[in-house]
Amino acid sequence: MRCSMTERGYLFKDIESKWRKRWEDDRVFESRRDPDRKKYYLLEMFPYPSGRLHMGHVRNYSIGDLMARFKRMRGYNVLHPIGWDAFGLPAENAAIKEGIPPFRWTLDNIGHMKEQFGKLGVSYDWTREFATCDPNYYRWNQWVFLKMYERGLAYKKKASVNWCPSCNTVLANEQVVDGLCWRCESNVLQKELEQWFFKITDYAEDLLKGHDELGDGWPERVVTMQRNWIGRSTGLTVKFRLESGEDFPIYTTRPDTVFGVTFMVIAPEHSLLDRVGDPRVREFIERFKSQPLVDRLSDEKEKEGVDTGLKVINPFNGDIVPLYVGNFVLMEYGTGAIMAVPAHDTRDFAFAKKYGIPVKLVIDRPGESLSVSTMEDAYVEDGVCVNSGPFDGLGNREAMSKISDYAEEKGFGKRAVTYRLRDWLISRQRYWGCPIPVVYCDKCGPQPVKEEELPVVLPTDVEFRGDSRSPLIFMDDFIKTSCPKCGGAARRETDTMDTFVDSSWYFAKFTSPKSSGMFDQEEVNYWMPVDQYIGGIEHACLHLLYARFFNMVLNDLGVVNCREPFTRLLTQGMVIKEGAKMSKSKGNIVDPDKIIEEYGADTARLFMLFASPPEKDLDWSDKGVEGCSRFIGRVWRVVSKYAADYTAERCAAEAALSDELRALRIELHRTMKIVTHDIEERLQYNTAIARLMELVNALYQLPDSEAATPDGKKVLSEVFDSLIPMLSPFVPHVAEEMWAMLGHKELLVNQPWPAYIEALSVRDEIEIVFQVNGKNRSKAPVAPDISKDEMERLALADQRIGDFIAGKQVVKVIVVPGKLVNIVVK
RNA sequence: GCCCAAGUGGUGGAAUUGGUAGACACAAGGGACUUAAAAUCCCUCGGACUUCGGUCUGUGCCGGUUCAAAUCCGGCCUUGGGCACCA
């Protein structure tokens, strides 16, 4: 069947819908487990059903679909599923504002976005689709919660937590960016609240070790970000003592400076301060607690403190030093108190100067002695121990371990590893999320819901009261229940789970979405781990960290075999327009629907892959889209021109052909080789497309007289039989149409990736360069297998080179095979 | 402050291991086709000079290593990202 051309090019609308229907009818993208075939699980981060796809989605899914289709053609058993990250605040905010129930709002959005996905022609297995707001899905959130609760990995504690006043809920540490809410950028406050946590800190070491297993499958950048976030440090916990005799432990990474302690500092939230009645101290603590988090984190924030009047004894030398309360000491890190060594810590130095605290030097510069009275800042470099009792004269590096040994022997110190990572705060004071499966009994306290009573279903017929309070707290039907332990009256937990819990295991559920258990074991262990995961880098320390943790827990529970869920990760860049991220507020949004309407999905996809390599940011350009559309038209026209001459006959590999045909044939095989390498090894799709464009340009250079010969028809048929399959992962619809145009009956999506002939992938003649003293002076066409001696001979015999070296002495001749000859003269 | 990227024509970007800088595309200019336009096809396209053969110069800046540097090393500048009172 032929489609007539439009003025622009081709009738993409008819073509695109026709082939999507064929793929759907033939169920070509539905995958089935097959232990005899090599599996490839490809996944893009699933979308939140906001209602509309944006260009970032289009880019993400274009990259993913290219890889999925390519791997299919390479013979892999590919799993390429999609679903919906369907819980979350926007649905609830829409409900409050417009009165639409979150459940309906979400389903409507899914419906619309599904249509958009349809138009893009992404090769998903839609039979595996699910949304995380489905009780059959989130019941397993609850199940894992119960298992974690049993093991002490899910627990409730009162702590100073991040509170977003705009979202009206608490946030995990990872969800606070520079003191602001990651979602709405409101000022985050600190509140003392009792909240549910997942003990991700138990897995800190595993998460770090796992990075080695990921190797070069993950971008170095992401691994570094996670490593920094986890923030492992090694040091010593030292039991100082209060004058009253109580233990006063601190953690330090600089045990070598412990003889230089001249004061101690304690966090304002520390319970020890409850006994200090001094009004100046009380006032300081109150002022501190009311500060928004941004102010506390601010750069210029002065280090402030007040002397508590308490004294602390240094177990190493018996020194008695004052204890300050300070605004820079964190309750959540270490023991919430520090030893301060002003001589060797910049911050302590500034603090000591401010409050007139003495400075004691314990590490001296090798060679020249430092003097406390003339020091203008702390000495933080390595040196030699002084004023350190038995350790005097040791290098400070050596002293670190000697002093640690000493403290451990004496029993007042212990080596310790500390992490910056905090436990994951997972409860949210909002409605549209997975209920936490806990009930509160007046007699028995908090009790986990019994496993057989799962799921705890989130009611969907809810009424909002015009504010962000969760409707659950007014719903007696939901709240009133009985205690699983004593059977007495009890109340349900009304907090829901962080939606990052939902997205921490959805990838495993895709392997067996219809299973009545959490997973079908055979399926999950056949498909997992995800071979290639694709998404934005903004999730480096959010979703990607949580998901790794969660998968390790699932592994420990015995429900999945793999430890790491994502073998390879590709972090695609943002879509930029006029130098800024596309956003409503900047007014620089390009609507994917409009682009697809005007140019078709193939053009939209091609542009996304051609404009920039996947990891880099992509600059949107209307003209660039135009160019991609033009290229598709160019291919279309050249295929149309020769389609009637298509033949199944092929020239033998060694067939003697005219110069033009032979050159074209070699261009074809060269292109196949390079394109395969660019896609498979380099993940650099823009250069792969550039090579395909060159091949098409070469087709346009072929004289009609050559094309019309019997050999010409055979060579052109050979070109199309490989060119069109190579185009298929980039522009699948139009490629399928052109394939059919040649008379092929089988679907192109089921064709294998074309294989090139090595002997035909090398040009007959290459150009080498002759240099004199490193400057290009001449060139010559030669056979590609030319010897070094012959290259040198040709260079020296070259007329122009002769002119340049005449009367000079040849010092050296460097020959780079197949590239150049450099003649060094003086 | 610390750590990590990046900086190449008018623009997006190529250059895979130190070996012809600027592939491919956009924009611009010219030509062909056309009554004309659009579309299409072809050609030119870093800068300066040029006797039109070429010559010099050029990958953020300064220096170095090398026969040869966008690529390696040292120092600096700019942009982006991460971490930042983590004891």
Side-chain angles (χ1 to χ4, degrees):
Chain A
M1 165 193 165
R2 292 286 190 97
C3 279
S4 64
M5 313 248 294
T6 64
E7 215 176 327
R8 268 227 77 81
Y10 64 105
L11 289 172
F12 56 80
K13 267 186 201 161
D14 297 352
I15 290 173
E16 291 184 356
S17 58
K18 177 174 85 182
W19 292 109
R20 275 198 305 271
K21 183 154 189 320
R22 264 303 291 284
W23 297 332
E24 198 179 316
D25 291 347
D26 284 29
R27 309 172 77 168
V28 290
F29 302 126
E30 293 176 22
S31 14
R32 226 171 302 142
R33 180 171 61 91
D34 180 353
D36 295 333
R37 289 176 65 200
K38 209 164 177 245
K39 66 98 184 180
Y40 194 85
Y41 183 0
L42 187 130
L43 187 68
E44 302 107 41
M45 289 180 186
F46 70 163
Y48 175 79
S50 58
R52 302 198 72 79
L53 288 184
H54 54 67
M55 277 301 168
H57 288 125
V58 176
R59 186 173 193 203
N60 187 220
Y61 301 119
S62 298
I63 293 169
D65 198 39
L66 172 109
M67 294 175 101
R69 285 174 181 268
F70 176 77
K71 287 291 176 182
R72 266 176 59 83
M73 294 177 85
R74 282 303 235 180
Y76 288 89
N77 188 20
V78 170
L79 174 61
H80 189 205
I82 182 87
W84 310 96
D85 190 11
F87 274 137
L89 273 186
E92 211 170 326
N93 291 338
I96 296 161
K97 228 168 113 190
E98 288 151 43
I100 313 160
F103 183 64
R104 228 195 66 209
W105 186 86
T106 304
L107 289 194
D108 287 352
N109 284 348
I110 288 175
H112 182 247
M113 287 175 81
K114 211 171 153 175
E115 226 172 273
Q116 290 185 299
F117 269 115
K119 283 192 216 151
L120 263 182
V122 189
S123 64
Y124 292 127
D125 178 352
W126 284 101
T127 64
R128 294 171 186 264
E129 174 196 12
F130 63 80
T132 56
C133 61
D134 182 338
N136 286 323
Y137 178 79
Y138 68 69
R139 68 177 294 160
W140 299 105
N141 280 10
Q142 296 172 342
W143 181 81
V144 175
F145 179 96
L146 296 181
K147 292 289 160 195
M148 287 172 74
Y149 185 83
E150 262 172 37
R151 289 158 195 243
L153 290 171
Y155 67 94
K156 198 171 194 189
K157 77 168 175 195
K158 190 169 186 177
S160 174
V161 297
N162 307 303
W163 174 266
C164 173
S166 162
C167 295
N168 233 315
T169 183
V170 296
L171 297 169
N173 250 340
E174 291 79 11
Q175 294 155 28
V176 179
V177 181
D178 293 332
L180 305 177
C181 171
W182 72 298
R183 183 188 292 285
C184 69
E185 299 189 356
S186 304
N187 249 311
V188 170
L189 302 172
Q190 297 295 114
K191 270 197 180 184
E192 283 278 317
L193 289 172
E194 205 170 318
Q195 294 292 318
W196 287 98
F197 291 85
F198 281 165
K199 214 168 180 187
I200 191 171
T201 51
D202 264 18
Y203 284 76
E205 208 58 36
D206 280 298
L207 288 164
L208 286 173
K209 261 196 241 125
H211 285 143
D212 301 336
E213 190 183 316
L214 300 172
D216 57 4
W218 278 43
E220 187 66 37
R221 222 152 56 103
V222 177
V223 171
T224 307
M225 281 164 73
Q226 290 199 351
R227 206 174 275 144
N228 287 343
W229 187 260
I230 295 166
R232 183 185 200 270
S233 78
T234 54
L236 189 71
T237 305
V238 185
K239 263 192 241 162
F240 281 66
R241 247 179 315 108
L242 290 175
E243 256 184 339
S244 56
E246 291 156 86
D247 280 346
F248 188 73
I250 59 91
Y251 171 75
T252 180
T253 55
R254 292 294 305 273
D256 53 325
T257 64
V258 73
F259 284 86
V261 172
T262 57
F263 62 103
M264 310 284 284
V265 192
I266 190 169
E269 302 97 327
H270 203 289
S271 60
L272 180 70
L273 292 171
D274 293 349
R275 73 178 75 165
V276 179
D278 182 334
R280 283 177 36 244
V281 174
R282 302 269 32 118
E283 188 269 337
F284 180 84
I285 295 170
E286 288 317 312
R287 192 156 51 84
F288 172 87
K289 282 186 177 166
S290 61
Q291 266 178 349
L293 195 56
V294 243
D295 293 351
R296 281 178 64 182
L297 293 172
S298 147
D299 256 358
E300 310 84 58
K301 188 72 204 161
E302 226 357 69
K303 281 134 201 67
E304 282 184 84
V306 177
D307 190 342
T308 61
L310 297 168
K311 301 287 183 213
V312 183
I313 305 163
N314 185 338
F316 281 87
N317 56 12
D319 279 1
I320 296 175
V321 297
L323 174 65
Y324 280 72
V325 53
N327 63 351
F328 60 93
V329 178
L330 303 174
M331 189 57 221
E332 306 84 40
Y333 188 80
T335 62
I338 62 160
M339 67 179 209
V341 185
H344 307 292
D345 180 286
T346 312
R347 185 192 50 204
D348 295 349
F349 188 88
F351 193 90
K353 286 289 161 198
K354 183 170 180 176
Y355 294 104
I357 305 167
V359 177
K360 183 183 172 193
L361 190 81
V362 288
I363 294 171
D364 209 350
R365 195 194 292 274
E368 50 172 315
S369 278
L370 293 164
S371 155
V372 167
S373 52
T374 59
M375 276 171 84
E376 283 181 6
D377 202 348
Y379 178 72
V380 294
E381 286 147 61
D382 286 337
V384 183
C385 291
V386 293
N387 300 323
S388 298
F391 305 99
D392 281 355
L394 287 177
N396 71 305
R397 297 267 161 188
E398 197 187 348
M400 278 197 202
S401 61
K402 289 271 162 63
I403 289 176
S404 301
D405 289 344
Y406 177 80
E408 287 187 329
E409 269 166 41
K410 295 277 180 182
F412 54 74
K414 195 155 176 33
R415 282 184 168 82
V417 175
T418 308
Y419 302 92
R420 211 187 74 100
L421 182 73
R422 305 288 143 76
D423 278 340
W424 175 13
L425 197 175
I426 58 124
S427 41
R428 296 289 178 273
Q429 291 68 49
R430 297 299 296 249
Y431 155 73
W432 190 232
C434 168
I436 293 172
V438 168
V439 302
Y440 298 96
C441 170
D442 287 339
K443 273 189 241 147
C444 316
Q447 292 296 321
V449 171
K450 282 188 181 145
E451 218 174 294
E452 52 277 18
E453 280 171 24
L454 296 183
V456 177
V457 176
L458 183 75
T460 49
D461 53 333
V462 290
E463 225 179 283
F464 285 86
R465 308 204 169 188
D467 60 31
S468 54
R469 282 176 301 173
S470 166
L472 291 182
I473 60 181
F474 309 111
M475 294 184 76
D476 280 356
D477 286 355
F478 177 78
I479 293 173
K480 282 190 180 160
T481 184
S482 53
C483 173
K485 195 172 178 189
C486 71
R491 291 168 293 113
R492 273 195 201 285
E493 172 66 84
T494 53
D495 279 1
T496 54
M497 291 186 204
D498 183 3
T499 55
F500 279 108
V501 178
D502 310 330
S503 55
S504 284
W505 66 282
Y506 76 103
F507 41 88
K509 187 63 177 173
F510 278 136
T511 65
S512 45
K514 309 226 159 50
S515 165
S516 57
M518 190 172 188
F519 311 117
D520 177 313
Q521 284 303 300
E522 274 185 318
E523 296 287 342
V524 75
N525 292 324
Y526 171 73
W527 292 111
M528 283 294 287
V530 174
D531 293 277
Q532 177 71 62
Y533 197 33
I534 307 168
I537 194 157
E538 66 273 17
H539 284 293
C541 293
L542 289 159
H543 163 61
L544 289 167
L545 190 67
Y546 296 142
R548 290 184 58 221
F549 157 67
F550 209 85
N551 195 73
M552 286 174 183
V553 172
L554 295 185
N555 179 231
D556 287 342
L557 292 174
V559 291
V560 293
N561 280 350
C562 62
R563 193 89 182 143
E564 287 291 341
F566 315 120
T567 308
R568 292 178 63 84
L569 173 71
L570 182 114
T571 49
Q572 105 261 8
M574 287 187 300
V575 180
I576 303 279
K577 197 188 174 194
E578 284 131 29
K581 187 181 174 173
M582 281 190 187
S583 72
K584 254 187 217 156
S585 56
K586 296 221 174 60
N588 61 349
I589 290 194
V590 180
D591 180 10
D593 275 349
K594 275 203 189 126
I595 297 297
I596 293 170
E597 178 69 22
E598 194 175 338
Y599 296 97
D602 284 335
T603 295
R605 295 166 53 132
L606 187 66
F607 174 71
M608 285 292 161
L609 297 164
F610 179 60
S612 150
E615 301 233 276
K616 279 209 202 166
D617 285 351
L618 178 151
D619 224 353
W620 180 266
S621 146
D622 293 332
K623 292 288 184 187
V625 177
E626 197 94 25
C628 287
S629 170
R630 206 174 296 157
F631 170 66
I632 296 174
R634 229 167 123 75
V635 183
W636 175 270
R637 280 186 296 277
V638 79
V639 173
S640 304
K641 179 177 171 189
Y642 296 121
D645 292 336
Y646 180 81
T647 167
E649 281 179 74
R650 292 288 168 271
C651 299
E654 56 285 349
L657 297 167
S658 70
D659 287 351
E660 286 89 348
L661 288 175
R662 182 163 167 81
L664 177 61
R665 202 177 185 204
I666 286 172
E667 275 322 292
L668 170 67
H669 288 271
R670 234 173 56 82
T671 302
M672 286 157 82
K673 185 177 183 172
I674 298 172
V675 168
T676 307
H677 184 242
D678 279 355
I679 298 179
E680 195 154 54
E681 310 293 334
R682 298 212 305 155
L683 310 185
Q684 193 155 307
Y685 313 122
N686 55 332
T687 52
I689 295 166
R691 290 288 90 79
L692 290 166
M693 286 173 167
E694 281 184 281
L695 179 60
V696 172
N697 291 344
L699 279 172
Y700 274 82
Q701 297 297 322
L702 187 72
D704 284 348
S705 56
E706 288 293 332
T709 63
D711 277 348
K713 290 177 183 177
K714 287 188 217 166
V715 170
L716 281 169
S717 301
E718 183 179 344
V719 170
F720 292 142
D721 262 1
S722 293
L723 170 64
I724 295 171
M726 282 194 285
L727 285 167
S728 141
F730 297 94
V731 287
H733 311 87
V734 68
E736 194 79 69
E737 178 71 21
M738 292 187 293
W739 188 248
M741 201 194 282
L742 296 178
H744 292 291
K745 295 283 174 273
E746 311 78 23
L747 280 174
L748 175 56
V749 284
N750 291 326
Q751 297 305 303
W753 185 254
Y756 61 91
I757 299 168
E758 181 65 42
L760 289 175
S761 69
V762 185
R763 286 176 175 156
D764 290 337
E765 198 176 82
I766 57 171
E767 194 176 63
I768 57 168
V769 171
F770 299 146
Q771 299 181 332
V772 176
N773 287 346
K775 290 191 191 250
N776 298 351
R777 295 303 183 191
S778 187
K779 301 171 177 189
V782 300
D785 56 350
I786 187 172
S787 72
K788 284 179 81 170
D789 288 351
E790 180 65 6
M791 279 175 72
E792 180 169 347
R793 198 190 62 76
L794 281 175
L796 292 168
D798 187 274
Q799 174 73 51
R800 287 181 38 76
I801 295 300
D803 293 347
F804 271 98
I805 63 176
K808 303 212 170 104
Q809 189 197 339
V810 175
V811 181
K812 205 186 313 185
V813 178
I814 288 131
V815 181
V816 183
K819 298 265 186 197
L820 58 78
V821 179
N822 186 12
I823 299 163
V824 187
V825 296
K826 68 173 182 193

